[in-house]
Amino acid sequence: MTTMAEDGTLRVWLFGIGLEAYWSQFDGLEARLKGYVKRVAERLAGPGREIVNFGLVDSPQRAFAVGHEARRQDVDLLVLYVTTYALSSTVLPVVRRAKVPVLVLNLQPEAAIDYERFNSLPNRTAMTGDWLAFCSACPVPEIANVFARAGVPFHQVTGVLDGDAECCREAWIEIGDWMAAAQVVETLSHMRLGLMGHYYGGMLDIATDLTAVSSVFGAHVEMLEIDELGAICAEMTSAEVTVKLEAIRTEFDVQADCSAEELVRAARTAAALDELVDRHSLGALAYFYNGSGCSMNEDTITSIILGTSMLTRRGVPVAGEYEVKNVLAMKILDSLGAGGSFTEYYAVDFKDDVVLMGHDGPGHPGIAEGKTKVKPLAVYHGKVGRGLSVEMSVKHGPVTLLSVVENGRGGFKLLVAEGESEAGPILEIGNTNSRYRFPIGARAFIQRWNEQAPAHHCAVGLGHVGDKLDKLGKLLSLDVVRVC
């Protein structure tokens, strides 16, 4: 029984900066700036995040101490709130020692200085102290210059700390996107990715460099045997199968032509999949297996679709056809709260200017339009056997497509498109199937997507999350290509 699992908690260390010489010169400035840093800490807080507020770093000595502590505490992200002018020598020791991504917040306390109030202050010393509280933009070019020369990648958000101004709202939306992207990085870096079976023969596009997967995304790859799943199936008690059968009837719209025998087969394998996932602490799974010549394995693999769909719904995405890159895409979308279902081109409806996309095998019932149907298939096209399958369309409204693309240089990029899932006729063949409209039109979408040389599978999730994926790419040092 393994003990490694997704941690899920993002450790964010926040610090403001200032110049120690100011505190004795301008009464109340230090306390005022610390209050602003506290306000940022409050607004950064959210589920799955641990925010540690280090207050103001105002000297190189303090910077060295904070940098050492950040490294000891295994920080995931440094957030530097630029409160006023500060020396770049006050910042560099922190980021060099921590060696984690840096987000620079250039946030004024208000949208503009109240010039009348400012100019009515009793003396120029008071005026200067008040101005310094608005001086967050001043040192950012200096900090950026030093980071660039020191080879320290950084990201920035400019705007306003509080208020109703649009620049405040936009800044905090952007900051929220950075936090979400950083949490995905944290999830991926603690994920155990199970691979069971082998590639679908001849699909050269889905062959994946597993060393690169671990190196770039941080995931651990766990090689699994289909025989283990089959053995677990054989160990399932009638009570465990009954519980899972009730869950299937609750979660799915089981069609009348589904036989009792096939439902029991699916329930047994679904219960066994839960045990397999728990036994290996899996955060995602990719699989393919023929099973021909071994009745136990064939029985297991032909009854797997309902259980893998249920796992996908609960945050353990499962991709068929041993699609390693695509299960990463599914996990990314799921970690952003968008779901993440397995899909590919089916056909183009040039009359309606939409692309039909879907796939056989596991779907994501949590992002379906209505309840996912369970239908029996007399044959799994291109695969061994027959059994129960799922039919669904992705919920109507905004969607994002994501492909993790492996290039010829041993690296990856993220390919993104935003569109709409819409109502209309689909192919009712017992598979997932949706109609997608893109702002650039179906023909241009197809051509631009293909120009990026993706594998033929991709993942689809709810909502438009392209901005978050842009930031995820920056944190992972991956190119992000947005088709639309």
Side-chain angles (χ1 to χ4, degrees):
M1 181 75 173
T2 182
T3 57
M4 177 184 171
E6 295 173 30
D7 179 276
T9 300
L10 179 70
R11 294 177 59 81
V12 180
W13 278 37
L14 166 69
F15 68 104
I17 53 172
L19 191 59
E20 189 177 29
Y22 288 158
W23 314 145
S24 61
Q25 295 176 332
F26 306 105
D27 290 341
L29 178 61
E30 182 180 14
R32 183 176 177 180
L33 299 182
K34 285 181 176 179
Y36 294 154
V37 178
K38 181 181 178 183
R39 178 62 180 143
V40 169
E42 293 170 349
R43 297 199 65 169
L44 287 177
R49 300 176 201 162
E50 179 185 350
I51 311 297
V52 179
N53 180 4
F54 261 82
L56 289 175
V57 176
D58 55 9
S59 68
Q61 294 88 341
R62 172 73 172 148
F64 276 102
V66 170
H68 279 287
E69 186 63 20
R71 190 164 180 175
R72 279 193 293 269
Q73 294 297 326
D74 192 23
V75 177
D76 298 308
L77 178 69
L78 281 178
V79 176
L80 163 58
Y81 177 30
V82 184
T83 54
T84 188
Y85 178 76
L87 299 168
S88 49
S89 63
T90 301
V91 179
L92 187 59
V94 179
V95 300
R96 281 191 72 256
R97 180 62 57 176
K99 296 187 183 302
V100 296
V102 181
L103 179 61
V104 178
L105 303 185
N106 174 14
L107 304 177
Q108 281 193 178
E110 299 171 28
I113 295 172
D114 183 338
Y115 303 105
E116 183 177 352
R117 179 197 61 80
F118 181 89
N119 289 324
S120 67
L121 291 172
N123 55 61
R124 294 188 182 92
T125 299
M127 290 179 179
T128 302
D130 195 72
W131 157 63
L132 286 171
F134 282 81
C135 197
S136 56
C138 179
V140 176
E142 176 181 342
I143 293 168
N145 174 273
V146 171
F147 281 180
R149 291 164 67 182
V152 175
F154 74 99
H155 317 285
Q156 61 175 318
V157 177
T158 299
V160 176
L161 175 59
D162 274 318
D164 297 325
E166 185 176 354
C167 54
C168 177
R169 292 193 297 272
E170 290 179 350
W172 280 101
I173 289 172
E174 192 174 353
I175 292 167
D177 288 351
W178 279 113
M179 293 297 106
Q183 284 185 283
V184 174
V185 174
E186 167 67 16
T187 296
L188 294 175
S189 66
H190 287 84
M191 182 178 72
R192 290 173 59 85
L193 169 59
L195 300 183
M196 183 172 66
H198 55 76
Y199 289 116
Y200 191 116
M203 288 185 183
L204 303 181
D205 59 324
I206 62 175
T208 303
D209 182 342
L210 299 183
T211 301
V213 167
S214 293
S215 175
V216 173
F217 299 99
H220 167 75
V221 177
E222 183 74 3
M223 308 305 291
L224 305 173
E225 299 290 345
I226 187 70
D227 309 71
E228 181 182 8
L229 180 60
I232 297 172
C233 280
E235 296 168 359
M236 289 293 105
T237 66
S238 58
E240 290 170 317
V241 173
T242 298
V243 168
K244 188 57 72 171
L245 186 57
E246 291 174 356
I248 287 172
R249 293 191 179 280
T250 298
E251 292 187 31
F252 296 98
D253 179 7
V254 179
Q255 302 298 286
D257 55 349
C258 294
S259 70
E261 177 189 0
E262 288 293 349
L263 285 168
V264 168
R265 278 211 312 140
R268 179 179 292 108
T269 303
L273 280 165
D274 287 347
E275 170 61 25
L276 182 76
V277 166
D278 290 344
R279 183 179 293 182
H280 295 281
S281 298
L282 301 181
L285 173 67
Y287 77 94
F288 178 77
Y289 205 73
N290 287 315
S292 54
C294 175
S295 58
M296 181 182 76
N297 288 341
E298 185 171 344
D299 181 74
T300 300
I301 208 67
T302 57
S303 58
I304 203 170
I305 293 175
L306 268 63
T308 50
S309 297
M310 296 171 86
L311 283 174
T312 300
R313 181 176 198 156
R314 81 174 218 210
V316 183
V318 182
E321 297 176 1
Y322 213 71
E323 238 295 19
V324 177
K325 294 186 290 292
N326 209 40
V327 83
L328 289 169
M330 294 165 67
K331 186 68 176 183
I332 289 168
L333 289 176
D334 186 77
S335 299
L336 289 174
S341 199
F342 198 85
T343 194
E344 67 184 15
Y345 299 158
Y346 268 7
V348 181
D349 186 331
F350 287 105
K351 289 184 177 180
D352 288 345
D353 197 30
V354 297
V355 182
L356 304 182
M357 300 182 72
H359 208 273
D360 67 339
H364 193 319
I367 66 170
E369 181 68 30
K371 216 169 188 181
T372 296
K373 296 178 180 179
V374 177
K375 293 185 174 182
L377 297 182
V379 62
Y380 289 142
H381 67 273
K383 301 176 176 68
V384 169
R386 59 182 176 79
L388 299 182
S389 187
V390 295
E391 181 179 287
M392 56 165 270
S393 288
V394 170
K395 189 173 295 184
H396 301 152
V399 296
T400 300
L401 299 183
L402 172 63
S403 178
V404 174
V405 181
E406 189 170 11
N407 60 38
R409 303 183 303 279
F412 299 93
K413 66 181 175 184
L414 304 181
L415 180 59
V416 179
E418 293 180 339
E420 302 285 325
S421 171
E422 62 175 42
I426 63 167
L427 311 179
E428 298 176 4
I429 56 175
N431 299 158
T432 59
N433 199 308
S434 297
R435 299 164 61 89
Y436 297 121
R437 185 176 301 279
F438 299 96
I440 58 176
R443 183 170 176 270
F445 162 74
I446 292 284
Q447 293 196 164
R448 293 184 189 178
W449 187 267
N450 292 346
E451 284 171 358
Q452 298 302 319
H456 71 285
H457 301 125
C458 64
V460 59
L462 301 183
H464 288 165
V465 296
D467 289 346
K468 293 182 176 69
L469 293 171
D470 282 339
K471 294 170 177 59
L472 175 65
K474 290 182 172 65
L475 292 175
L476 292 173
S477 299
L478 299 178
D479 290 337
V480 179
V481 179
R482 294 181 68 167
V483 168
C484 57

